[in-house]
Amino acid sequence: MKKNILYIALLGMMSLMTVSCDSELDIEKHGNMGSMDTYYTTDENINTATASMYLSVRSLYFTWYFTKNLLSDDVWCGGGQRQDNGEMEKLNEYNFDSNHSSIEGLYSGLYTVIYNANLIIDKTEGETAVMKRAINEAKVFRAWAHFELVSLWGTAPKVDHLLTQDEYRQANGNPADTWAFVEQDLTEAINSGTLPSKSSANDQETGIRVTKELAQALLGKAYLFQGKNSEAASMLDNVINSGKYALFNGEYDAQFHAAANNNCESMFELQKRNDSEQMWNQFDMNFLMQGWRSDKLKYAGEALQVLATGTYGFCNPRKSLYDAFVAWEGADGYRLSKTIWTYPQLEDYGVTIRSGSSVYGSEGYFFWKNQAYKDDCCMDFSAFQGLQYIDLKMMRYAEVLLLAAEAHLQAGNSSKALEYINQIRTRAKETPLTSVTLNDIKTEKRLELCLECVRYQDLIRWGDAKSAMAEQGKEVPAYALDGVQWNWQNTSYGFKDKNYLLPIPLKELELNPNMQQNAGW
């Protein structure tokens, strides 16, 4: 399928970034690229700048994904053994402080996205269609980054323009101002008339870039996070009523594999592709880190033929998540069977724990929904399994339906909330509900979107985080052939009042005397 020009530009840019120094010296020079003030004057350069902005989001994805999932109550950190990744363990067990590398990386990475967006918004000269679209795509990404900053840190500064040198030391932001700015950017992008809509739910090309409906979904989510329930319901209904998206109607787990990239349920995903010439430009560690801990396991039969082995075993499901599935849809639930497997199910598939080994950070449950197949790989490189071309999902239509269900329920329209949650339940092959409560929506969202970067911020905004995670990190398990072992204990652990906001990174405070730390840190 023909890909649009941004995708080609992005892959080309990534290729240039990864060539060797010797090769770089051999590139023929074609004149001066010009200054920053003159660069943003042609469509070609604007496309390159837009590709760079998309790339900054993709470069941040690993840190964004693991930080938010490890902070939730759905997963154990996992890995090969205790201290395999001590920084991830600190997140998962609530032993981190303001000098944590992932928190610092996510914070600074979001501002990198904002900087790249501001370059396009502030520097673009001209009124071509390419330029107008790029500016409004940049506003969507700038809003997305500020949404993450305000919902995670609260007082992170709003940066609405390219800063001059005397503006670098920004003071803490006001959350109300930041939320208003998120709304402003998204509203302007939606109303600009420059963002495309997919031609149909099955349009796999238009949606590889920002669409009008993605901006509407993000705005609806921002409204809901602020308790603006009627506004959220109305905005999310725009996405639903557009008919441009639909729940994936194949096998539930198939949507998480490369063959279903850019499917009808995708609101936005960061692009990969199966291209042997660009193979190492596709490399990342997302699925390598999440796959079952291969060196502790033996694979036979279908498992040996199908699964991409050579993976590291991080982010294993907690028993509490499995039990939530069972309580909601039964031990033989269709969606459960496509999401989490028990150890006996692994054995039936041909996977067993090696004699004398144990799976660290596991209670005997294993995610299935995120397991990469050999067919998902540009090359099956089992020594270091990082060559998948599964797109990196940022938002699914299922989340839109569940956000809309919550917004309508909170706004007093329970019939519409019931309609939307039952669409999710019907796809999960569950009996439709006859009435709906907020707890129903919370549970449905936990199960449908587990390991998809939404649970932690939901627990925070619902006020449920402390009750859900007060004991998190007290003990850490490993699973062996003779059952669960609890060999590790912490004296400091669990979600505390200060954790309702992440700490401003220590590095930021050391460099900026105008910044104040969040309460409790």
Side-chain angles (χ1 to χ4, degrees):
M1 179 181 296
K2 181 180 178 182
K3 295 290 184 181
N4 84 22
I5 190 168
L6 173 74
Y7 190 30
I8 296 169
L10 175 56
L11 289 169
M13 185 176 186
M14 292 173 62
S15 179
L16 289 174
M17 291 174 67
T18 54
V19 296
S20 70
C21 292
D22 289 340
S23 298
E24 199 167 17
L25 292 174
D26 292 337
I27 295 174
E28 183 180 357
K29 301 297 186 288
H30 292 285
N32 194 317
M33 293 290 288
S35 72
M36 184 180 291
D37 290 330
T38 61
Y39 182 79
Y40 296 85
T41 58
T42 69
D43 285 354
E44 180 181 5
N45 288 351
I46 292 298
N47 276 326
T48 301
T50 305
S52 179
M53 178 178 62
Y54 275 72
L55 181 59
S56 67
V57 180
R58 179 170 146 177
S59 298
L60 181 61
Y61 187 88
F62 179 94
T63 303
W64 177 79
Y65 181 93
F66 280 96
T67 300
K68 297 209 296 182
N69 284 318
L70 288 165
L71 286 168
S72 83
D73 62 337
D74 282 345
V75 303
W76 295 100
C77 174
Q81 58 191 6
R82 188 67 175 167
Q83 292 295 309
D84 186 358
N85 192 310
E87 291 295 279
M88 286 187 169
E89 288 177 354
K90 289 176 183 177
L91 286 175
N92 194 231
E93 297 163 21
Y94 283 86
N95 269 321
F96 59 90
D97 56 23
S98 63
N99 194 28
H100 191 280
S101 59
S102 294
I103 292 174
E104 180 185 312
L106 180 55
Y107 185 92
S108 62
L110 289 166
Y111 280 111
T112 297
V113 173
I114 291 169
Y115 174 73
N116 286 327
N118 282 336
L119 280 172
I120 295 171
I121 295 166
D122 290 2
K123 294 291 185 181
T124 298
E125 295 184 16
E127 294 289 325
T128 70
V130 168
M131 293 175 180
K132 290 179 180 179
R133 178 177 179 178
I135 287 170
N136 287 289
E137 285 178 289
K139 287 182 178 180
V140 171
F141 280 122
R142 185 168 69 177
W144 170 80
H146 278 101
F147 173 95
E148 296 292 329
L149 286 164
V150 72
S151 61
L152 292 170
W153 281 273
T155 65
K158 176 188 73 177
V159 179
D160 59 2
H161 63 282
L162 290 171
L163 300 179
T164 59
Q165 189 171 355
D166 61 351
E167 295 178 303
Y168 288 165
R169 295 181 175 181
Q170 293 281 302
N172 295 73
N174 180 302
D177 290 344
T178 304
W179 281 119
F181 183 56
V182 170
E183 293 180 20
Q184 176 185 316
D185 259 354
L186 291 171
T187 300
E188 289 178 359
I190 292 164
N191 293 337
S192 69
T194 66
L195 296 180
S197 296
K198 290 171 34 172
S199 60
S200 70
N202 294 318
D203 178 357
Q204 291 184 292
E205 184 170 348
T206 306
I208 72 172
R209 291 177 68 169
V210 167
T211 63
K212 176 181 175 180
E213 287 72 29
L214 173 65
Q216 291 172 328
L218 294 175
L219 181 54
K221 186 173 182 177
Y223 283 144
L224 184 63
F225 267 60
Q226 298 173 79
K228 297 179 177 181
N229 300 309
S230 296
E231 295 93 330
S234 177
M235 187 56 59
L236 293 161
D237 278 352
N238 288 330
V239 182
I240 296 166
N241 294 335
S242 74
K244 306 297 185 183
Y245 300 87
L247 294 175
F248 185 77
N249 62 5
E251 289 296 313
Y252 180 82
D253 54 332
Q255 67 182 304
F256 303 109
H257 293 280
N261 283 350
N262 303 307
N263 67 71
C264 61
E265 190 164 339
S266 170
M267 294 300 302
F268 185 68
E269 50 195 54
L270 298 162
Q271 300 297 299
K272 298 289 206 72
R273 69 176 184 179
N274 187 13
D275 183 345
S276 59
E277 293 183 2
Q278 302 268 358
M279 182 170 63
W280 288 102
N281 293 331
Q282 306 299 308
F283 177 85
D284 66 54
M285 295 183 64
N286 285 283
F287 296 100
L288 184 157
M289 290 288 283
Q290 296 172 67
W292 303 336
R293 186 71 194 192
S294 300
D295 63 344
K296 307 294 185 183
L297 303 170
K298 293 189 295 185
Y299 294 75
E302 185 177 353
L304 183 62
Q305 299 301 315
V306 172
L307 296 181
T309 58
T311 49
Y312 285 0
F314 288 88
C315 287
N316 301 312
R318 291 175 180 261
K319 182 177 184 296
S320 60
L321 176 61
Y322 179 82
D323 289 346
F325 268 101
V326 172
W328 195 240
E329 58 186 53
D332 59 350
Y334 169 76
R335 181 173 51 187
L336 170 59
S337 72
K338 303 296 185 180
T339 304
I340 298 175
W341 283 9
T342 63
Y343 181 65
Q345 288 175 301
L346 258 68
E347 289 184 303
D348 290 343
Y349 193 58
V351 181
T352 54
I353 296 174
R354 294 183 182 276
S355 178
S357 294
S358 63
V359 180
Y360 171 72
S362 173
E363 297 173 89
Y365 302 94
F366 302 81
F367 274 119
W368 176 252
K369 73 185 284 186
N370 63 335
Q371 290 305 295
Y373 297 162
K374 293 182 187 294
D375 286 348
D376 293 322
C377 301
C378 301
M379 182 179 77
D380 181 21
F381 189 41
S382 60
F384 200 56
Q385 194 66 263
L387 294 170
Q388 291 75 40
Y389 64 101
I390 306 169
D391 284 353
L392 306 176
K393 295 186 184 299
M394 301 286 288
M395 191 179 204
R396 287 196 288 129
Y397 181 61
E399 183 182 354
V400 175
L401 287 171
L402 290 166
L403 289 167
E406 182 181 348
H408 276 288
L409 182 68
Q410 299 288 58
N413 188 353
S414 60
S415 61
K416 186 62 75 171
L418 186 64
E419 175 189 340
Y420 290 155
I421 195 173
N422 278 336
Q423 288 185 38
I424 299 291
R425 288 182 62 78
T426 298
R427 197 266 295 274
K429 300 186 179 181
E430 293 301 310
T431 303
L433 299 175
T434 56
S435 62
V436 60
T437 67
L438 180 58
N439 281 334
D440 293 333
I441 295 170
K442 288 180 179 181
T443 300
E444 195 66 52
K445 195 171 186 186
R446 183 185 190 186
L447 306 186
E448 175 66 31
L449 299 173
C450 63
L451 207 63
E452 295 188 49
C453 305
V454 301
R455 174 69 173 170
Y456 173 71
Q457 282 148 301
D458 278 344
L459 289 173
I460 295 290
R461 71 183 178 89
W462 288 328
D464 295 341
K466 193 172 182 180
S467 61
M469 299 184 289
E471 299 290 301
Q472 187 154 311
K474 183 176 182 180
E475 296 179 287
V476 181
Y479 188 79
L481 292 174
D482 57 353
V484 183
Q485 307 164 350
W486 298 89
N487 294 333
W488 299 273
Q489 294 81 34
N490 288 311
T491 56
S492 175
Y493 56 84
F495 190 98
K496 305 168 186 67
D497 287 338
K498 68 178 183 179
N499 295 114
Y500 279 101
L501 293 177
L502 293 178
I504 303 296
L506 177 62
K507 180 179 178 181
E508 300 294 327
L509 298 176
E510 290 175 339
L511 293 173
N512 182 0
N514 295 324
M515 283 289 289
Q516 301 297 315
Q517 183 57 276
N518 283 329
W521 292 99

